[in-house]
Amino acid sequence: AQSVAQPEDQVNVAEGNPLTVKCTYSVSGNPYLFWYVQYPNRGLQFLLKYITGDNLVKGSYGFEAEFNKSQTSFHLKKPSALVSDSALYFCAVRAQRAYNTDKLIFGTGTRLQVFP
Amino acid sequence: DAGVIQSPRHEVTEMGQEVTLRCKPISGHDYLFWYRQTMMRGLELLIYFNNNVPIDDSGMPEDRFSAKMPNASFSTLKIQPSEPRDSAVYFCASQRGTSLAKNIQYFGAGTRLSVL
């Protein structure tokens, strides 16, 4: 069975500091991995994805994520946090060879709070 | 493109009443997903369609919930009768199922449902 774990309910970071939001996954075979962000009173918005190739993926708003197969992780990172990055972040996974389903499995979300 | 459009944005109803939520996916997208988000349970996939056909409805809570997609540009999620525990934000998302853009889901702004 596919699953995603986001071990931190909330991450607090000071503006200008680097941030990391953690995600680990479990799938059979190779994964498709995604990060989405949700701002207050809005729907989820795609940030970035890993399909294949370079393990470091760059996405919107200066975010990046590193795929680590041995650790089954896909942590979201940003070198310098902004107050406007404060939001709810979701990691999602799908097995590349999930013949019987096209759905993504979402994590429980991590609330990022960036303090001025 | 206007994105995924959901209506209404807010719905307040009394227990026992029928509720219908509406979604217009992005033109050309052949997948449509209905999600429910609550503080307690996070983001839950209720049902998804491919080419207007329901593929997986295993997330639908019970028989009070039903979803239809009569054509490629419209879907409804109906709750009859509604109960207070159905109070949540309901999201619709659509996806273009090509290999190039596979699995990027585009979310609507959601419908906030309150059942009194």
Side-chain angles (χ1 to χ4, degrees), chain B residues 73-106:
Chain B
S73 59
F74 184 65
S75 177
T76 60
L77 178 67
K78 186 175 293 187
I79 308 172
Q80 166 63 15
S82 57
E83 297 182 3
R85 61 194 168 120
D86 301 330
S87 297
V89 181
Y90 291 81
F91 289 105
C92 173
S94 70
Q95 171 186 305
R96 182 162 59 102
T98 66
S99 59
L100 194 62
K102 200 169 180 65
N103 287 124
I104 297 178
Q105 295 183 17
Y106 295 84

PDB file of all heavy atoms in Angstrom, chain B residues 73-106:
ATOM      1  N   SER B  73     -17.630  18.898 -18.582  1.00  0.00           N
ATOM      2  CA  SER B  73     -17.458  20.238 -18.026  1.00  0.00           C
ATOM      3  C   SER B  73     -18.249  20.474 -16.752  1.00  0.00           C
ATOM      4  O   SER B  73     -18.364  21.611 -16.287  1.00  0.00           O
ATOM      5  CB  SER B  73     -17.848  21.288 -19.067  1.00  0.00           C
ATOM      6  OG  SER B  73     -19.188  21.118 -19.462  1.00  0.00           O
ATOM      7  N   PHE B  74     -18.766  19.394 -16.145  1.00  0.00           N
ATOM      8  CA  PHE B  74     -19.613  19.626 -14.974  1.00  0.00           C
ATOM      9  C   PHE B  74     -19.692  18.377 -14.114  1.00  0.00           C
ATOM     10  O   PHE B  74     -19.863  17.260 -14.615  1.00  0.00           O
ATOM     11  CB  PHE B  74     -21.025  20.022 -15.431  1.00  0.00           C
ATOM     12  CG  PHE B  74     -21.957  20.368 -14.320  1.00  0.00           C
ATOM     13  CD1 PHE B  74     -21.741  21.476 -13.520  1.00  0.00           C
ATOM     14  CD2 PHE B  74     -23.074  19.583 -14.062  1.00  0.00           C
ATOM     15  CE1 PHE B  74     -22.601  21.805 -12.499  1.00  0.00           C
ATOM     16  CE2 PHE B  74     -23.949  19.900 -13.037  1.00  0.00           C
ATOM     17  CZ  PHE B  74     -23.722  21.013 -12.259  1.00  0.00           C
ATOM     18  N   SER B  75     -19.581  18.601 -12.802  1.00  0.00           N
ATOM     19  CA  SER B  75     -19.755  17.503 -11.854  1.00  0.00           C
ATOM     20  C   SER B  75     -20.484  18.029 -10.618  1.00  0.00           C
ATOM     21  O   SER B  75     -20.379  19.209 -10.274  1.00  0.00           O
ATOM     22  CB  SER B  75     -18.405  16.929 -11.442  1.00  0.00           C
ATOM     23  OG  SER B  75     -18.559  15.902 -10.467  1.00  0.00           O
ATOM     24  N   THR B  76     -21.217  17.141  -9.970  1.00  0.00           N
ATOM     25  CA  THR B  76     -21.901  17.494  -8.729  1.00  0.00           C
ATOM     26  C   THR B  76     -21.589  16.477  -7.649  1.00  0.00           C
ATOM     27  O   THR B  76     -21.361  15.294  -7.928  1.00  0.00           O
ATOM     28  CB  THR B  76     -23.426  17.549  -8.916  1.00  0.00           C
ATOM     29  OG1 THR B  76     -23.894  16.267  -9.345  1.00  0.00           O
ATOM     30  CG2 THR B  76     -23.829  18.616  -9.907  1.00  0.00           C
ATOM     31  N   LEU B  77     -21.573  16.969  -6.436  1.00  0.00           N
ATOM     32  CA  LEU B  77     -21.479  16.120  -5.245  1.00  0.00           C
ATOM     33  C   LEU B  77     -22.706  16.442  -4.403  1.00  0.00           C
ATOM     34  O   LEU B  77     -22.930  17.595  -4.043  1.00  0.00           O
ATOM     35  CB  LEU B  77     -20.201  16.410  -4.456  1.00  0.00           C
ATOM     36  CG  LEU B  77     -19.998  15.635  -3.155  1.00  0.00           C
ATOM     37  CD1 LEU B  77     -19.779  14.145  -3.448  1.00  0.00           C
ATOM     38  CD2 LEU B  77     -18.817  16.182  -2.373  1.00  0.00           C
ATOM     39  N   LYS B  78     -23.494  15.431  -4.131  1.00  0.00           N
ATOM     40  CA  LYS B  78     -24.749  15.633  -3.423  1.00  0.00           C
ATOM     41  C   LYS B  78     -24.726  14.911  -2.088  1.00  0.00           C
ATOM     42  O   LYS B  78     -24.234  13.771  -1.996  1.00  0.00           O
ATOM     43  CB  LYS B  78     -25.910  15.136  -4.286  1.00  0.00           C
ATOM     44  CG  LYS B  78     -27.285  15.427  -3.727  1.00  0.00           C
ATOM     45  CD  LYS B  78     -28.362  15.011  -4.716  1.00  0.00           C
ATOM     46  CE  LYS B  78     -28.341  15.858  -5.959  1.00  0.00           C
ATOM     47  NZ  LYS B  78     -29.496  15.568  -6.859  1.00  0.00           N
ATOM     48  N   ILE B  79     -25.257  15.565  -1.081  1.00  0.00           N
ATOM     49  CA  ILE B  79     -25.401  14.957   0.238  1.00  0.00           C
ATOM     50  C   ILE B  79     -26.884  15.024   0.610  1.00  0.00           C
ATOM     51  O   ILE B  79     -27.477  16.097   0.652  1.00  0.00           O
ATOM     52  CB  ILE B  79     -24.576  15.688   1.317  1.00  0.00           C
ATOM     53  CG1 ILE B  79     -23.123  15.842   0.868  1.00  0.00           C
ATOM     54  CG2 ILE B  79     -24.632  14.911   2.633  1.00  0.00           C
ATOM     55  CD1 ILE B  79     -22.284  16.714   1.797  1.00  0.00           C
ATOM     56  N   GLN B  80     -27.478  13.862   0.836  1.00  0.00           N
ATOM     57  CA  GLN B  80     -28.899  13.807   1.145  1.00  0.00           C
ATOM     58  C   GLN B  80     -29.205  12.599   2.025  1.00  0.00           C
ATOM     59  O   GLN B  80     -29.027  11.476   1.557  1.00  0.00           O
ATOM     60  CB  GLN B  80     -29.715  13.742  -0.142  1.00  0.00           C
ATOM     61  CG  GLN B  80     -31.181  13.348   0.010  1.00  0.00           C
ATOM     62  CD  GLN B  80     -31.990  14.325   0.817  1.00  0.00           C
ATOM     63  OE1 GLN B  80     -31.577  15.459   1.057  1.00  0.00           O
ATOM     64  NE2 GLN B  80     -33.167  13.895   1.254  1.00  0.00           N
ATOM     65  N   PRO B  81     -29.641  12.806   3.254  1.00  0.00           N
ATOM     66  CA  PRO B  81     -29.763  14.069   3.972  1.00  0.00           C
ATOM     67  C   PRO B  81     -28.441  14.484   4.601  1.00  0.00           C
ATOM     68  O   PRO B  81     -27.611  13.629   4.929  1.00  0.00           O
ATOM     69  CB  PRO B  81     -30.782  13.714   5.059  1.00  0.00           C
ATOM     70  CG  PRO B  81     -30.508  12.269   5.351  1.00  0.00           C
ATOM     71  CD  PRO B  81     -30.090  11.649   4.036  1.00  0.00           C
ATOM     72  N   SER B  82     -28.260  15.768   4.781  1.00  0.00           N
ATOM     73  CA  SER B  82     -27.009  16.251   5.376  1.00  0.00           C
ATOM     74  C   SER B  82     -27.054  16.118   6.902  1.00  0.00           C
ATOM     75  O   SER B  82     -28.132  16.127   7.523  1.00  0.00           O
ATOM     76  CB  SER B  82     -26.763  17.710   4.976  1.00  0.00           C
ATOM     77  OG  SER B  82     -27.848  18.526   5.370  1.00  0.00           O
ATOM     78  N   GLU B  83     -25.873  15.990   7.492  1.00  0.00           N
ATOM     79  CA  GLU B  83     -25.726  15.882   8.935  1.00  0.00           C
ATOM     80  C   GLU B  83     -24.627  16.840   9.390  1.00  0.00           C
ATOM     81  O   GLU B  83     -23.731  17.187   8.592  1.00  0.00           O
ATOM     82  CB  GLU B  83     -25.364  14.451   9.335  1.00  0.00           C
ATOM     83  CG  GLU B  83     -26.442  13.435   8.994  1.00  0.00           C
ATOM     84  CD  GLU B  83     -26.081  12.031   9.439  1.00  0.00           C
ATOM     85  OE1 GLU B  83     -25.011  11.853  10.072  1.00  0.00           O
ATOM     86  OE2 GLU B  83     -26.877  11.100   9.166  1.00  0.00           O
ATOM     87  N   PRO B  84     -24.657  17.264  10.651  1.00  0.00           N
ATOM     88  CA  PRO B  84     -23.626  18.190  11.137  1.00  0.00           C
ATOM     89  C   PRO B  84     -22.200  17.693  10.910  1.00  0.00           C
ATOM     90  O   PRO B  84     -21.298  18.488  10.654  1.00  0.00           O
ATOM     91  CB  PRO B  84     -23.963  18.314  12.629  1.00  0.00           C
ATOM     92  CG  PRO B  84     -25.439  18.119  12.688  1.00  0.00           C
ATOM     93  CD  PRO B  84     -25.734  17.066  11.644  1.00  0.00           C
ATOM     94  N   ARG B  85     -21.987  16.391  10.977  1.00  0.00           N
ATOM     95  CA  ARG B  85     -20.639  15.868  10.788  1.00  0.00           C
ATOM     96  C   ARG B  85     -20.146  15.964   9.351  1.00  0.00           C
ATOM     97  O   ARG B  85     -18.975  15.685   9.062  1.00  0.00           O
ATOM     98  CB  ARG B  85     -20.556  14.405  11.246  1.00  0.00           C
ATOM     99  CG  ARG B  85     -21.472  13.451  10.486  1.00  0.00           C
ATOM    100  CD  ARG B  85     -21.563  12.125  11.231  1.00  0.00           C
ATOM    101  NE  ARG B  85     -22.624  11.286  10.731  1.00  0.00           N
ATOM    102  CZ  ARG B  85     -22.426  10.077  10.211  1.00  0.00           C
ATOM    103  NH1 ARG B  85     -21.213   9.593  10.131  1.00  0.00           N
ATOM    104  NH2 ARG B  85     -23.440   9.352   9.787  1.00  0.00           N
ATOM    105  N   ASP B  86     -21.016  16.379   8.450  1.00  0.00           N
ATOM    106  CA  ASP B  86     -20.601  16.602   7.065  1.00  0.00           C
ATOM    107  C   ASP B  86     -19.964  17.978   6.886  1.00  0.00           C
ATOM    108  O   ASP B  86     -19.446  18.290   5.802  1.00  0.00           O
ATOM    109  CB  ASP B  86     -21.798  16.490   6.115  1.00  0.00           C
ATOM    110  CG  ASP B  86     -22.476  15.135   6.194  1.00  0.00           C
ATOM    111  OD1 ASP B  86     -21.785  14.129   6.489  1.00  0.00           O
ATOM    112  OD2 ASP B  86     -23.705  15.069   5.970  1.00  0.00           O
ATOM    113  N   SER B  87     -20.010  18.793   7.901  1.00  0.00           N
ATOM    114  CA  SER B  87     -19.425  20.133   7.826  1.00  0.00           C
ATOM    115  C   SER B  87     -17.928  20.006   7.535  1.00  0.00           C
ATOM    116  O   SER B  87     -17.195  19.321   8.266  1.00  0.00           O
ATOM    117  CB  SER B  87     -19.656  20.885   9.137  1.00  0.00           C
ATOM    118  OG  SER B  87     -21.039  21.066   9.363  1.00  0.00           O
ATOM    119  N   ALA B  88     -17.498  20.677   6.487  1.00  0.00           N
ATOM    120  CA  ALA B  88     -16.118  20.551   6.023  1.00  0.00           C
ATOM    121  C   ALA B  88     -15.931  21.503   4.845  1.00  0.00           C
ATOM    122  O   ALA B  88     -16.869  22.159   4.405  1.00  0.00           O
ATOM    123  CB  ALA B  88     -15.823  19.116   5.574  1.00  0.00           C
ATOM    124  N   VAL B  89     -14.710  21.532   4.335  1.00  0.00           N
ATOM    125  CA  VAL B  89     -14.456  22.210   3.061  1.00  0.00           C
ATOM    126  C   VAL B  89     -14.322  21.123   2.004  1.00  0.00           C
ATOM    127  O   VAL B  89     -13.526  20.185   2.173  1.00  0.00           O
ATOM    128  CB  VAL B  89     -13.191  23.075   3.105  1.00  0.00           C
ATOM    129  CG1 VAL B  89     -13.000  23.770   1.758  1.00  0.00           C
ATOM    130  CG2 VAL B  89     -13.290  24.112   4.219  1.00  0.00           C
ATOM    131  N   TYR B  90     -15.078  21.252   0.948  1.00  0.00           N
ATOM    132  CA  TYR B  90     -15.075  20.269  -0.135  1.00  0.00           C
ATOM    133  C   TYR B  90     -14.353  20.878  -1.339  1.00  0.00           C
ATOM    134  O   TYR B  90     -14.699  21.966  -1.796  1.00  0.00           O
ATOM    135  CB  TYR B  90     -16.504  19.870  -0.508  1.00  0.00           C
ATOM    136  CG  TYR B  90     -17.168  19.059   0.578  1.00  0.00           C
ATOM    137  CD1 TYR B  90     -17.730  19.687   1.693  1.00  0.00           C
ATOM    138  CD2 TYR B  90     -17.199  17.670   0.520  1.00  0.00           C
ATOM    139  CE1 TYR B  90     -18.311  18.947   2.716  1.00  0.00           C
ATOM    140  CE2 TYR B  90     -17.776  16.923   1.528  1.00  0.00           C
ATOM    141  CZ  TYR B  90     -18.327  17.566   2.627  1.00  0.00           C
ATOM    142  OH  TYR B  90     -18.891  16.821   3.636  1.00  0.00           O
ATOM    143  N   PHE B  91     -13.356  20.154  -1.813  1.00  0.00           N
ATOM    144  CA  PHE B  91     -12.578  20.616  -2.959  1.00  0.00           C
ATOM    145  C   PHE B  91     -12.820  19.721  -4.160  1.00  0.00           C
ATOM    146  O   PHE B  91     -12.952  18.506  -4.040  1.00  0.00           O
ATOM    147  CB  PHE B  91     -11.080  20.590  -2.643  1.00  0.00           C
ATOM    148  CG  PHE B  91     -10.639  21.637  -1.672  1.00  0.00           C
ATOM    149  CD1 PHE B  91     -10.337  21.295  -0.364  1.00  0.00           C
ATOM    150  CD2 PHE B  91     -10.502  22.954  -2.067  1.00  0.00           C
ATOM    151  CE1 PHE B  91      -9.920  22.254   0.543  1.00  0.00           C
ATOM    152  CE2 PHE B  91     -10.092  23.926  -1.170  1.00  0.00           C
ATOM    153  CZ  PHE B  91      -9.810  23.571   0.138  1.00  0.00           C
ATOM    154  N   CYS B  92     -12.818  20.358  -5.304  1.00  0.00           N
ATOM    155  CA  CYS B  92     -12.809  19.672  -6.570  1.00  0.00           C
ATOM    156  C   CYS B  92     -11.462  19.957  -7.227  1.00  0.00           C
ATOM    157  O   CYS B  92     -10.911  21.064  -7.100  1.00  0.00           O
ATOM    158  CB  CYS B  92     -13.955  20.205  -7.436  1.00  0.00           C
ATOM    159  SG  CYS B  92     -13.997  19.611  -9.114  1.00  0.00           S
ATOM    160  N   ALA B  93     -10.909  18.969  -7.900  1.00  0.00           N
ATOM    161  CA  ALA B  93      -9.647  19.144  -8.604  1.00  0.00           C
ATOM    162  C   ALA B  93      -9.741  18.453  -9.960  1.00  0.00           C
ATOM    163  O   ALA B  93     -10.440  17.445 -10.101  1.00  0.00           O
ATOM    164  CB  ALA B  93      -8.483  18.566  -7.808  1.00  0.00           C
ATOM    165  N   SER B  94      -9.045  19.010 -10.950  1.00  0.00           N
ATOM    166  CA  SER B  94      -9.018  18.339 -12.247  1.00  0.00           C
ATOM    167  C   SER B  94      -7.581  18.167 -12.699  1.00  0.00           C
ATOM    168  O   SER B  94      -6.660  18.838 -12.206  1.00  0.00           O
ATOM    169  CB  SER B  94      -9.839  19.110 -13.289  1.00  0.00           C
ATOM    170  OG  SER B  94      -9.230  20.335 -13.661  1.00  0.00           O
ATOM    171  N   GLN B  95      -7.405  17.266 -13.660  1.00  0.00           N
ATOM    172  CA  GLN B  95      -6.059  16.867 -14.096  1.00  0.00           C
ATOM    173  C   GLN B  95      -6.126  16.464 -15.550  1.00  0.00           C
ATOM    174  O   GLN B  95      -7.086  15.826 -15.980  1.00  0.00           O
ATOM    175  CB  GLN B  95      -5.602  15.697 -13.231  1.00  0.00           C
ATOM    176  CG  GLN B  95      -4.330  14.996 -13.665  1.00  0.00           C
ATOM    177  CD  GLN B  95      -4.079  13.774 -12.819  1.00  0.00           C
ATOM    178  OE1 GLN B  95      -4.027  13.838 -11.597  1.00  0.00           O
ATOM    179  NE2 GLN B  95      -3.927  12.640 -13.474  1.00  0.00           N
ATOM    180  N   ARG B  96      -5.077  16.832 -16.282  1.00  0.00           N
ATOM    181  CA  ARG B  96      -4.971  16.392 -17.669  1.00  0.00           C
ATOM    182  C   ARG B  96      -4.109  15.149 -17.684  1.00  0.00           C
ATOM    183  O   ARG B  96      -2.963  15.164 -17.268  1.00  0.00           O
ATOM    184  CB  ARG B  96      -4.370  17.496 -18.524  1.00  0.00           C
ATOM    185  CG  ARG B  96      -4.261  17.188 -19.994  1.00  0.00           C
ATOM    186  CD  ARG B  96      -4.083  18.460 -20.789  1.00  0.00           C
ATOM    187  NE  ARG B  96      -2.897  19.197 -20.382  1.00  0.00           N
ATOM    188  CZ  ARG B  96      -1.751  19.200 -21.051  1.00  0.00           C
ATOM    189  NH1 ARG B  96      -1.647  18.474 -22.143  1.00  0.00           N
ATOM    190  NH2 ARG B  96      -0.729  19.903 -20.640  1.00  0.00           N
ATOM    191  N   GLY B  97      -4.667  14.060 -18.127  1.00  0.00           N
ATOM    192  CA  GLY B  97      -3.974  12.786 -17.970  1.00  0.00           C
ATOM    193  C   GLY B  97      -3.004  12.436 -19.063  1.00  0.00           C
ATOM    194  O   GLY B  97      -2.974  11.314 -19.515  1.00  0.00           O
ATOM    195  N   THR B  98      -2.161  13.385 -19.457  1.00  0.00           N
ATOM    196  CA  THR B  98      -1.124  13.066 -20.437  1.00  0.00           C
ATOM    197  C   THR B  98       0.177  12.747 -19.708  1.00  0.00           C
ATOM    198  O   THR B  98       0.379  13.142 -18.581  1.00  0.00           O
ATOM    199  CB  THR B  98      -0.866  14.243 -21.393  1.00  0.00           C
ATOM    200  OG1 THR B  98      -0.298  15.322 -20.633  1.00  0.00           O
ATOM    201  CG2 THR B  98      -2.157  14.700 -22.031  1.00  0.00           C
ATOM    202  N   SER B  99       1.073  12.085 -20.356  1.00  0.00           N
ATOM    203  CA  SER B  99       2.318  11.710 -19.699  1.00  0.00           C
ATOM    204  C   SER B  99       3.143  12.934 -19.325  1.00  0.00           C
ATOM    205  O   SER B  99       3.869  12.929 -18.349  1.00  0.00           O
ATOM    206  CB  SER B  99       3.122  10.792 -20.604  1.00  0.00           C
ATOM    207  OG  SER B  99       3.400  11.447 -21.827  1.00  0.00           O
ATOM    208  N   LEU B 100       3.030  14.002 -20.101  1.00  0.00           N
ATOM    209  CA  LEU B 100       3.841  15.182 -19.844  1.00  0.00           C
ATOM    210  C   LEU B 100       3.391  15.913 -18.582  1.00  0.00           C
ATOM    211  O   LEU B 100       4.195  16.393 -17.797  1.00  0.00           O
ATOM    212  CB  LEU B 100       3.759  16.136 -21.050  1.00  0.00           C
ATOM    213  CG  LEU B 100       4.782  17.261 -21.110  1.00  0.00           C
ATOM    214  CD1 LEU B 100       6.173  16.677 -21.206  1.00  0.00           C
ATOM    215  CD2 LEU B 100       4.503  18.155 -22.305  1.00  0.00           C
ATOM    216  N   ALA B 101       2.109  16.008 -18.402  1.00  0.00           N
ATOM    217  CA  ALA B 101       1.587  16.772 -17.267  1.00  0.00           C
ATOM    218  C   ALA B 101       0.917  15.868 -16.252  1.00  0.00           C
ATOM    219  O   ALA B 101       0.123  16.317 -15.452  1.00  0.00           O
ATOM    220  CB  ALA B 101       0.596  17.811 -17.769  1.00  0.00           C
ATOM    221  N   LYS B 102       1.291  14.616 -16.286  1.00  0.00           N
ATOM    222  CA  LYS B 102       0.559  13.632 -15.498  1.00  0.00           C
ATOM    223  C   LYS B 102       0.605  13.935 -14.023  1.00  0.00           C
ATOM    224  O   LYS B 102       1.622  14.273 -13.456  1.00  0.00           O
ATOM    225  CB  LYS B 102       1.160  12.242 -15.758  1.00  0.00           C
ATOM    226  CG  LYS B 102       0.216  11.101 -15.401  1.00  0.00           C
ATOM    227  CD  LYS B 102       0.766   9.799 -15.935  1.00  0.00           C
ATOM    228  CE  LYS B 102      -0.130   8.626 -15.603  1.00  0.00           C
ATOM    229  NZ  LYS B 102      -1.429   8.724 -16.249  1.00  0.00           N
ATOM    230  N   ASN B 103      -0.557  13.793 -13.416  1.00  0.00           N
ATOM    231  CA  ASN B 103      -0.701  13.848 -11.966  1.00  0.00           C
ATOM    232  C   ASN B 103      -0.593  15.230 -11.357  1.00  0.00           C
ATOM    233  O   ASN B 103      -0.527  15.349 -10.148  1.00  0.00           O
ATOM    234  CB  ASN B 103       0.282  12.925 -11.255  1.00  0.00           C
ATOM    235  CG  ASN B 103      -0.099  11.472 -11.411  1.00  0.00           C
ATOM    236  OD1 ASN B 103       0.685  10.676 -11.877  1.00  0.00           O
ATOM    237  ND2 ASN B 103      -1.323  11.137 -11.061  1.00  0.00           N
ATOM    238  N   ILE B 104      -0.541  16.302 -12.124  1.00  0.00           N
ATOM    239  CA  ILE B 104      -0.645  17.627 -11.533  1.00  0.00           C
ATOM    240  C   ILE B 104      -2.122  17.937 -11.433  1.00  0.00           C
ATOM    241  O   ILE B 104      -2.812  18.095 -12.438  1.00  0.00           O
ATOM    242  CB  ILE B 104       0.063  18.704 -12.366  1.00  0.00           C
ATOM    243  CG1 ILE B 104       1.562  18.412 -12.424  1.00  0.00           C
ATOM    244  CG2 ILE B 104      -0.176  20.084 -11.763  1.00  0.00           C
ATOM    245  CD1 ILE B 104       2.343  19.404 -13.258  1.00  0.00           C
ATOM    246  N   GLN B 105      -2.593  17.992 -10.230  1.00  0.00           N
ATOM    247  CA  GLN B 105      -4.002  18.291  -9.996  1.00  0.00           C
ATOM    248  C   GLN B 105      -4.157  19.786  -9.731  1.00  0.00           C
ATOM    249  O   GLN B 105      -3.375  20.376  -8.980  1.00  0.00           O
ATOM    250  CB  GLN B 105      -4.535  17.482  -8.817  1.00  0.00           C
ATOM    251  CG  GLN B 105      -4.533  15.987  -9.087  1.00  0.00           C
ATOM    252  CD  GLN B 105      -5.139  15.180  -7.954  1.00  0.00           C
ATOM    253  OE1 GLN B 105      -5.840  15.711  -7.098  1.00  0.00           O
ATOM    254  NE2 GLN B 105      -4.881  13.887  -7.962  1.00  0.00           N
ATOM    255  N   TYR B 106      -5.177  20.356 -10.329  1.00  0.00           N
ATOM    256  CA  TYR B 106      -5.486  21.767 -10.148  1.00  0.00           C
ATOM    257  C   TYR B 106      -6.759  21.857  -9.329  1.00  0.00           C
ATOM    258  O   TYR B 106      -7.793  21.316  -9.723  1.00  0.00           O
ATOM    259  CB  TYR B 106      -5.655  22.451 -11.503  1.00  0.00           C
ATOM    260  CG  TYR B 106      -4.382  22.466 -12.304  1.00  0.00           C
ATOM    261  CD1 TYR B 106      -4.014  21.371 -13.084  1.00  0.00           C
ATOM    262  CD2 TYR B 106      -3.526  23.562 -12.268  1.00  0.00           C
ATOM    263  CE1 TYR B 106      -2.829  21.372 -13.807  1.00  0.00           C
ATOM    264  CE2 TYR B 106      -2.344  23.570 -12.998  1.00  0.00           C
ATOM    265  CZ  TYR B 106      -1.997  22.474 -13.758  1.00  0.00           C
ATOM    266  OH  TYR B 106      -0.829  22.474 -14.469  1.00  0.00           O
TER     267      TYR B 106
END
